[in-house]
Amino acid sequence: MDTDFDETKDGKLVLVILVGAPGSGKSTFCEDVMRSSSRPWIRICQDTIGNGKAGNKAQCLSSAARALKDGKNVFIDRCNLDREQRSDFIKLSGEPQIDIHAVVLDLPAKLCISRSVKRSEHEGNLQGGKAAAVVNRMLQNKELPKLSEGFNRITFCQSESDVKNAIDTYGKLGLRANLPHGCFGQKNPDSKIQVSIMKFLKKVEVPVDTASRKNGIGDSSSQTPGKNDSRCKDTEKNSSTQDNSNFGPNEVEGQADNSAGSYHNRVSLDDTPTLAFPSISTSDFQFNHDKAADIIVEKVSEYSNKIGNARLVLVDLTHKSKIMSLVKAKAAEKNVDTQKFFTHVGDITRLHSTGGLRCSVIANAANWRLKPGGGGVNAAIFDAAGPELESATKENVKTLSPGNAVVVPLPSSSPLFTREGVSHVIHVLGPNMNPHRPNCLNNDYEKGCRILKEAYASLFEGFASIVRNQTQQNENLGKKYLELPYQSEFRSKNHFTNTDQKSKRNADHGLEKNKKYKGTQDGVGLTFTDCRGENIDSEIKRADPRTGKAWGSWAQALHQIAMHPEKHKDDLLEILEDAVVLNDMYPKAQKHVLVLARTRGLDSLSDVQNEHLSILKRMHAVGLKWAEKFLSESASLVFRLGYHSAPSMRQLHLHVISQDFESKHLKNKKHWNSFNTAFFRDSVDVIDEVSNHGKVTLKDDDKLTSMELRCHRCKSAHPNIPRLKSHISSCQAPFPAYLLENGCLVGTCTR
């Protein structure tokens, strides 16, 4: 993106028309720019234009005209997905000192829908199930803007990195600077629509080039391989595909392909356990492609009924892959369930970051020594996963014989885990027909086919065992619905990741799980055990017998850090004998740290008894020390120390949080109320209750976190988070007496 600024003359006012579906990040874009820019900006949002309530286009036009007249730069925060909706705003550029820009947030449909469905307290109340249908309808009819409409500059953002670059560009735009005119960032100017995906498996028609259909199994995309077509044809049930996914048989690079040729879009909320695997033995080991394709289809058909709603994805680097073409044709002949199996073209180590396909488990075509190197998939996966994969593999097994597979959990510090959301790698070794490689079978295909069948059976059983284990635990816990680790791991944030996703918004802390397990006793004589020999049921989803709460695998991360701080010492603020201190990944204020107890069995306040009084006092003392440290750096801060009544992360942790609540991560009602209602138990009160009664009174009613938004100082009510934030930034009312009198606050103003 061109970020050169023209400072040869006075900077012009800028009217930026945001173009994007609900959930594309328009409001966040505006807030991020306004936070960093030296220019005076005003955001005009139709959802709040009517005194905090939804208004109309005429009100937006009137407000924009007034703001420009007052010398302010303007963001038009509406969807603006067709030319007609944009035209009236473009007419506001009646004077030469005003530039009209468009910023097009042309992000993957599945991402927009996922964000829209999961968000709460949206300004326009577009959330939940209805959001998917709205996004789907809007994207089918969108018109990308053109300079001929009257724009001076158009910036296309087709990935989250593009969005960050655009935010940086506008954030750095000085008062006397102008941005170059023209069209920037569009990868396919001929694209018209990005067909979205429907919630709850509702079908919608997808525009398909009927000429490309053959025998009912046609290519549903006419795009050129390698280009980022903005047409999205996500057809798979519960799929996790990118905006240019397409499920015809002739896949495009970076696209998913559904071999059975369904032409209907369906919801993608990244909630389906998925195994991505390469073709085994057909590359370097030179196994006959036709025979290999028969075996793949046979084993896929066999195991598709054993994996519940999970999916198998055959991955290859090129759309010209012979083995992939054979598999697709044979799968179509066998009527393989296209909701359980499809193909994808792309780098198996970058399926999510470059292709939008999230796979919680990937298979590695390994060598018998289970060592990096050798080229191909093996070298790529070891390289992408970093030394963590090699170390984790060594902990479990030293060598692998043909026809077998071994499941290796990825530590959360692995780049493949943090960047792609891959929680497990399954190493699998097939038969060798290459005379230049060890253990060549010399064209003995009777034996070779038997070994390859065993290899795929071992691979799929390893994946199935993980899925079965989680499903069984859910049933045992009596839960109607409990997220599998594959659904949750990449949504929540690891303390050490750099990605910024919003799907785990409701957590009080966003850390990924660091739990190692490899499955269960399988049904075909293959044993997948925990690498430490521990019981999987107690580790993966530990249930609290007092509250009935089951900790999902993503919620285990704090527990792992507390139990093994030496593995994370470079990322912790302090390691003590009985506690550790770390920054909250999603701080809800300027300063927000966590003090973790290192005591086993102390998962939350519900576990606290009189015997834990000393650790509570110790955690409080550590929290006070860090609050004092922050106060020495900024005396204006005020801190509060406390616990959530029902935390989302396993392992008792104390929040030390400044009361400014100045944070881009504080986004919804639950975030605010979890720190400003009785749901938040002050540390001093917890210590007092345990001293007098031997336990803590838990106030974990969901109604507490769904209460109306009220200022934590003056208790005034506010309709939404932006209005609340605006108020608290200037509120000078004293803190409530009960906080001041009970010593719940720490700061110079409380002394």
Side-chain angles (χ1 to χ4, degrees):
M1 182 177 296
D2 193 337
T3 57
D4 293 332
F5 301 115
D6 178 7
E7 297 188 351
T8 60
K9 52 187 176 181
D10 289 342
K12 295 181 179 181
L13 291 177
V14 179
L15 173 69
V16 179
I17 299 175
L18 278 299
V19 179
S24 60
K26 299 183 295 296
S27 299
T28 301
F29 182 95
C30 298
E31 292 173 0
D32 288 349
V33 172
M34 294 167 70
R35 187 180 299 112
S36 59
S37 177
S38 60
R39 283 189 170 226
W41 287 93
I42 183 171
R43 167 180 168 251
I44 295 176
C45 176
Q46 188 164 319
D47 290 333
T48 59
I49 194 71
N51 294 321
K53 297 182 179 180
N56 54 47
K57 182 180 178 181
Q59 290 174 294
C60 293
L61 285 165
S62 178
S63 293
R66 287 197 303 270
L68 291 169
K69 185 177 180 180
D70 293 340
K72 296 180 180 178
N73 301 275
V74 177
F75 283 117
I76 303 297
D77 185 358
R78 302 171 73 248
C79 292
N80 299 309
L81 284 170
D82 61 65
R83 183 170 186 149
E84 181 180 354
Q85 288 294 322
R86 299 186 289 262
S87 61
D88 289 333
F89 292 100
I90 294 174
K91 293 175 183 177
L92 294 175
S93 64
E95 301 183 21
Q97 66 267 29
I98 299 176
D99 267 357
I100 304 294
H101 295 187
V103 173
V104 185
L105 303 181
D106 193 25
L107 298 181
K110 59 95 184 176
L111 177 60
C112 297
I113 288 183
S114 179
R115 288 174 174 176
S116 299
V117 168
K118 290 176 175 56
R119 63 189 177 187
S120 60
E121 296 306 307
H122 178 245
E123 294 170 333
N125 198 33
L126 183 60
Q127 57 201 38
K130 67 179 181 181
V134 173
V135 175
N136 176 78
R137 184 177 65 252
M138 296 180 76
L139 285 178
Q140 289 186 69
N141 299 310
K142 81 172 182 183
E143 292 179 84
L144 294 178
K146 298 180 180 179
L147 293 173
S148 59
E149 294 179 36
F151 289 106
N152 301 110
R153 176 186 175 96
I154 302 176
T155 302
F156 289 89
C157 301
Q158 295 172 316
S159 68
E160 292 186 87
S161 62
D162 289 346
V163 175
K164 290 179 181 178
N165 289 337
I167 290 171
D168 185 62
T169 296
Y170 281 92
K172 292 180 179 178
L173 181 61
L175 291 170
R176 298 179 58 84
N178 295 303
L179 287 173
H181 291 180
C183 188
F184 302 87
Q186 189 173 23
K187 296 178 174 63
N188 187 354
D190 296 326
S191 62
K192 293 183 178 180
I193 61 172
Q194 179 190 46
V195 177
S196 161
I197 39 187
M198 285 294 292
K199 175 75 169 155
F200 308 128
L201 311 184
K202 292 181 180 178
K203 299 180 179 180
V204 296
E205 292 301 324
V206 178
V208 179
D209 180 3
T210 56
S212 66
R213 302 182 187 180
K214 297 179 182 179
N215 300 324
I217 311 172
D219 185 3
S220 56
S221 170
S222 58
Q223 117 183 37
T224 304
K227 288 189 177 182
N228 187 3
D229 192 346
S230 63
R231 286 179 293 178
C232 174
K233 301 178 178 64
D234 307 282
T235 63
E236 182 193 358
K237 181 178 181 180
N238 295 327
S239 69
S240 297
T241 59
Q242 75 285 16
D243 64 330
N244 56 356
S245 291
N246 126 18
F247 297 100
N250 301 317
E251 71 289 331
V252 179
E253 184 175 357
Q255 295 186 331
D257 166 42
N258 185 323
S259 305
S262 170
Y263 300 109
H264 299 286
N265 291 339
R266 296 179 180 174
V267 68
S268 170
L269 296 181
D270 298 325
D271 58 357
T272 305
T274 303
L275 167 68
F277 65 97
S279 175
I280 307 300
S281 292
T282 54
S283 181
D284 194 41
F285 284 178
Q286 300 179 3
F287 199 92
N288 179 274
H289 285 197
D290 193 65
K291 296 180 185 296
D294 284 333
I295 292 172
I296 291 173
V297 173
E298 175 188 335
K299 290 302 174 183
V300 163
S301 300
E302 178 183 344
Y303 278 88
S304 61
N305 295 322
K306 298 182 179 181
I307 57 175
N309 72 326
R311 307 173 302 176
L312 304 173
V313 185
L314 176 65
V315 178
D316 204 300
L317 274 173
T318 172
H319 64 284
K320 297 180 180 179
S321 166
K322 179 181 178 181
I323 184 65
M324 188 172 286
S325 297
L326 288 168
V327 168
K328 286 185 298 184
K330 294 175 184 291
E333 292 174 2
K334 296 287 186 179
N335 293 318
V336 173
D337 186 349
T338 59
Q339 309 301 333
K340 299 290 186 66
F341 173 68
F342 58 95
T343 62
H344 187 95
V345 175
D347 183 345
I348 197 169
T349 68
R350 303 187 67 87
L351 293 175
H352 173 252
S353 60
T354 62
L357 178 65
R358 287 212 181 118
C359 298
S360 50
V361 184
I362 63 174
N364 176 37
N367 55 49
W368 69 275
R369 296 176 299 169
L370 295 174
K371 295 286 187 179
V377 171
N378 183 69
I381 290 178
F382 270 104
D383 182 63
E388 291 86 350
L389 176 58
E390 186 174 4
S391 298
T393 301
K394 287 180 179 178
E395 290 179 10
N396 183 55
V397 67
K398 302 302 182 184
T399 61
L400 192 64
S401 58
N404 289 294
V406 60
V407 181
V408 177
L410 274 179
S412 61
S413 55
S414 168
L416 199 56
F417 184 106
T418 59
R419 186 188 69 235
E420 303 297 324
V422 175
S423 61
H424 296 77
V425 172
I426 303 181
H427 297 300
V428 58
L429 182 62
N432 174 37
M433 294 296 180
N434 185 347
H436 302 292
R437 294 289 182 266
N439 304 314
C440 177
L441 296 180
N442 297 316
N443 286 326
D444 183 354
Y445 272 97
E446 181 179 352
K447 182 177 182 180
C449 288
R450 175 175 55 80
I451 293 175
L452 189 58
K453 288 180 181 180
E454 292 172 353
Y456 278 110
S458 182
L459 167 63
F460 295 154
E461 186 57 42
F463 177 58
S465 68
I466 298 171
V467 177
R468 285 198 307 269
N469 181 66
Q470 294 303 314
T471 302
Q472 183 61 50
Q473 289 172 39
N474 296 346
E475 294 173 354
N476 291 342
L477 291 169
K479 297 292 184 179
K480 292 181 178 179
Y481 177 79
L482 193 60
E483 289 187 333
L484 297 176
Y486 320 100
Q487 298 169 326
S488 304
E489 287 165 357
F490 200 59
R491 293 181 193 167
S492 51
K493 287 297 185 184
N494 189 290
H495 180 71
F496 318 113
T497 69
N498 294 319
T499 54
D500 183 17
Q501 300 180 4
K502 300 180 180 178
S503 16
K504 190 61 179 65
R505 286 180 171 178
N506 290 338
D508 68 318
H509 187 279
L511 292 177
E512 283 183 346
K513 64 103 177 174
N514 186 32
K515 190 55 54 186
K516 297 180 179 180
Y517 76 101
K518 293 185 171 60
T520 59
Q521 183 70 30
D522 71 283
V524 292
L526 302 171
T527 302
F528 298 89
T529 59
D530 185 278
C531 64
R532 297 178 305 281
E534 297 175 357
N535 182 280
I536 293 173
D537 287 346
S538 64
E539 287 297 315
I540 298 305
K541 291 199 181 293
R542 184 182 186 276
D544 187 328
R546 283 171 289 278
T547 65
K549 179 181 180 67
W551 301 103
S553 62
W554 60 268
Q556 304 283 349
L558 290 183
H559 173 75
Q560 286 298 302
I561 292 171
M563 297 301 106
H564 307 287
E566 68 282 355
K567 296 181 180 180
H568 311 285
K569 58 183 179 181
D570 293 337
D571 301 280
L572 297 176
L573 298 176
E574 185 176 15
I575 301 177
L576 303 169
E577 184 177 353
D578 47 8
V580 296
V581 184
L582 70 159
N583 283 310
D584 193 304
M585 176 59 191
Y586 285 130
K588 302 304 185 293
Q590 288 187 46
K591 297 294 183 181
H592 186 181
V593 300
L594 304 179
V595 181
L596 273 64
R598 296 187 60 186
T599 306
R600 285 191 178 274
L602 199 56
D603 293 347
S604 66
L605 285 181
S606 64
D607 297 305
V608 172
Q609 300 178 30
N610 193 63
E611 65 192 67
H612 300 120
L613 187 59
S614 61
I615 184 60
L616 292 176
K617 292 180 177 179
R618 175 62 171 155
M619 292 171 69
H620 185 81
V622 173
L624 283 177
K625 181 183 73 173
W626 278 92
E628 295 289 351
K629 178 182 182 300
F630 294 139
L631 285 169
S632 68
E633 300 170 356
S634 178
S636 63
L637 296 175
V638 176
F639 286 87
R640 192 175 176 190
L641 284 63
Y643 304 86
H644 283 149
S645 291
S648 61
M649 305 294 293
R650 177 187 177 192
Q651 197 63 27
L652 184 68
H653 53 282
L654 172 72
H655 292 268
V656 181
I657 182 169
S658 59
Q659 296 300 285
D660 52 89
F661 293 105
E662 184 180 321
S663 170
K664 65 179 181 180
H665 301 299
L666 199 156
K667 298 177 178 179
N668 58 50
K669 184 178 285 187
K670 186 169 184 177
H671 288 167
W672 176 259
N673 285 332
S674 66
F675 289 97
N676 292 286
T677 65
F679 184 86
F680 188 77
R681 301 304 321 280
D682 288 283
S683 178
V684 291
D685 291 339
V686 168
I687 292 173
D688 183 62
E689 287 185 13
V690 174
S691 298
N692 294 325
H693 307 292
K695 63 179 182 178
V696 185
T697 301
L698 299 179
K699 301 178 180 180
D700 57 355
D701 192 332
D702 288 341
K703 293 180 180 179
L704 291 173
T705 53
S706 59
M707 292 173 63
E708 65 179 345
L709 295 170
R710 288 188 173 274
C711 173
H712 61 314
R713 300 181 72 140
C714 69
K715 297 303 177 182
S716 59
H718 300 274
N720 53 49
I721 287 293
R723 292 282 291 274
L724 175 64
K725 284 186 174 181
S726 176
H727 167 79
I728 63 177
S729 66
S730 58
C731 182
Q732 298 298 315
F735 285 97
Y738 71 89
L739 293 178
L740 294 170
E741 294 171 0
N742 294 343
C744 299
L745 299 178
V746 181
T748 55
C749 68
T750 65
R751 297 170 181 171

